[in-house]
Amino acid sequence: MTGRPGELWTQPRRQAEACRHRRRAGSRVGDRLQPVSRVRTEMSELLLEVEGLDASYGSAQALEGVSFALGTEAVAVIGRNGMGKTTLCNAVMGIQPPNARGSIRFRGIELLGKPSYKIAGTGIAYVPQGRRLFQSLTTDEHLKMIRTPRSGRWNSEAVYDLFPRLAERKKVSATQLSGGEQQMLAIGRALLTNPDLLIMDEPSEGLAPTIVEQVIATCQSLVAEGMAILLVEQNLGVATEVAPRQLVMVAGRIAAETTAEALMTDPEAQRRYLGVEPLAASH
């Protein structure tokens, strides 16, 4: 890889500077995490409603009674490994094998039971954990293969404008891209469906700290443009920088809902829910 890592995602980083205040704009919930019912969030438009969602793999219960709503905003789902976060993503997107029961509505349309391609057509895009790129395809082929009935500003050229590094790597196989470049491609591929809601599962996993900062900046710039993001993360720093609202998942349930500010100032909750030493709050 050529060039300094900090230069790879320059455009989203510049755009994010203008919206960093969004994370601090959420109201304080208190010094301790509150039950879900205690938190109220103003949403300009209700997009995703999950109610009483159960999911299982055979006899193994993975999700139990998960309920939350998301508007045109960024919301993070945080928790340790094995808490059901990826299962939640799969259930929303209709990806098997979890057997799901309950209700998942997007703009009032029930998604549960619909095939994944139909769900994607409603305006939801997914950046899966591990990026899931095709080894035999080049960067450009990944982007050209996307077909969507939805119109919008995102096309291949817009993705290359967002991620100039990818434009330099058009003919390179996905297996030859760096981890950061692969994540750019996974995000760009999802954006080509012109979604209203972008679901991202562990986008910072395995990336160098400098590149993680650029993932954060990209998410912030997309939210500033009006895109909703449901971010699944173990990295508390990433989750709190991107999303003012935090949903804490424990053993397949949403155990608590809070704000980024409240969570960053609650060392006990950081240890209890994430098993990490406290992060210093940024101001």
Side-chain angles (χ1 to χ4, degrees):
M1 185 186 309
T2 60
R4 297 192 301 275
E7 293 178 341
L8 298 185
W9 306 47
T10 53
Q11 182 173 345
R13 190 169 193 170
R14 288 195 301 268
Q15 293 171 336
E17 292 300 322
C19 62
R20 282 190 177 276
H21 68 279
R22 294 171 68 93
R23 182 177 67 86
R24 301 186 180 94
S27 60
R28 176 180 289 274
V29 180
D31 293 333
R32 293 288 177 256
L33 298 192
Q34 305 297 319
V36 175
S37 61
R38 295 280 299 280
V39 177
R40 297 292 182 266
T41 301
E42 294 183 3
M43 293 178 285
S44 58
E45 182 182 8
L46 191 60
L47 292 178
L48 183 69
E49 299 173 88
V50 177
E51 293 185 1
L53 181 63
D54 297 333
S56 60
Y57 296 88
S59 60
Q61 190 81 12
L63 299 177
E64 185 175 353
V66 172
S67 297
F68 66 93
L70 177 150
T72 307
E73 58 179 327
V75 174
V77 179
I78 61 172
R80 304 187 194 194
N81 276 334
M83 295 295 103
K85 303 187 304 298
T86 295
T87 300
L88 174 61
C89 295
N90 289 343
V92 172
M93 295 304 302
I95 298 173
Q96 297 300 319
N99 299 311
R101 301 166 300 280
S103 178
I104 304 172
R105 296 188 301 277
F106 185 69
R107 296 192 185 279
I109 299 173
E110 183 61 53
L111 300 183
L112 207 58
K114 292 184 181 294
S116 296
Y117 76 93
K118 289 285 189 181
I119 293 173
T122 66
I124 306 177
Y126 185 33
V127 181
Q129 185 177 18
R131 295 136 200 167
R132 305 285 182 88
L133 301 176
F134 297 97
Q135 296 183 5
S136 62
L137 298 183
T138 66
T139 296
D140 203 46
E141 288 169 339
H142 271 89
L143 299 182
K144 286 183 176 179
M145 71 181 291
I146 301 299
R147 296 290 183 268
T148 177
R150 294 174 57 82
S151 60
R153 86 171 190 88
W154 291 105
N155 53 36
S156 295
E157 290 308 310
V159 170
Y160 288 135
D161 286 343
L162 179 66
F163 301 129
R165 179 62 176 173
L166 290 184
E168 301 172 7
R169 310 280 276 171
K170 283 184 178 183
K171 304 304 179 183
V172 174
S173 167
T175 57
Q176 296 178 308
L177 299 177
S178 69
E181 291 165 347
Q182 289 181 4
Q183 192 63 64
M184 294 179 207
L185 181 54
I187 294 172
R189 179 180 60 181
L191 291 176
L192 286 181
T193 65
N194 283 291
D196 298 316
L197 170 61
L198 183 64
I199 299 176
M200 308 179 75
D201 190 0
E202 305 281 2
S204 70
E205 183 179 54
L207 300 183
T210 302
I211 304 302
V212 170
E213 290 180 6
Q214 308 312 314
V215 172
I216 293 170
T218 299
C219 292
Q220 290 173 330
S221 68
L222 292 173
V223 173
E225 291 178 7
M227 186 176 294
I229 290 181
L230 181 62
L231 176 69
V232 170
E233 262 294 349
Q234 282 193 84
N235 187 321
L236 183 59
V238 174
T240 54
E241 282 288 340
V242 171
R245 288 179 63 203
Q246 304 285 309
L247 306 178
V248 182
M249 182 164 278
V250 177
R253 299 181 178 183
I254 302 296
E257 179 175 347
T258 187
T259 66
E261 184 179 6
L263 185 57
M264 290 292 284
T265 56
D266 191 341
E268 181 183 342
Q270 293 178 31
R271 293 190 185 96
R272 181 168 67 252
Y273 292 120
L274 297 171
V276 299
E277 288 304 309
L279 295 173
S282 59
H283 297 286

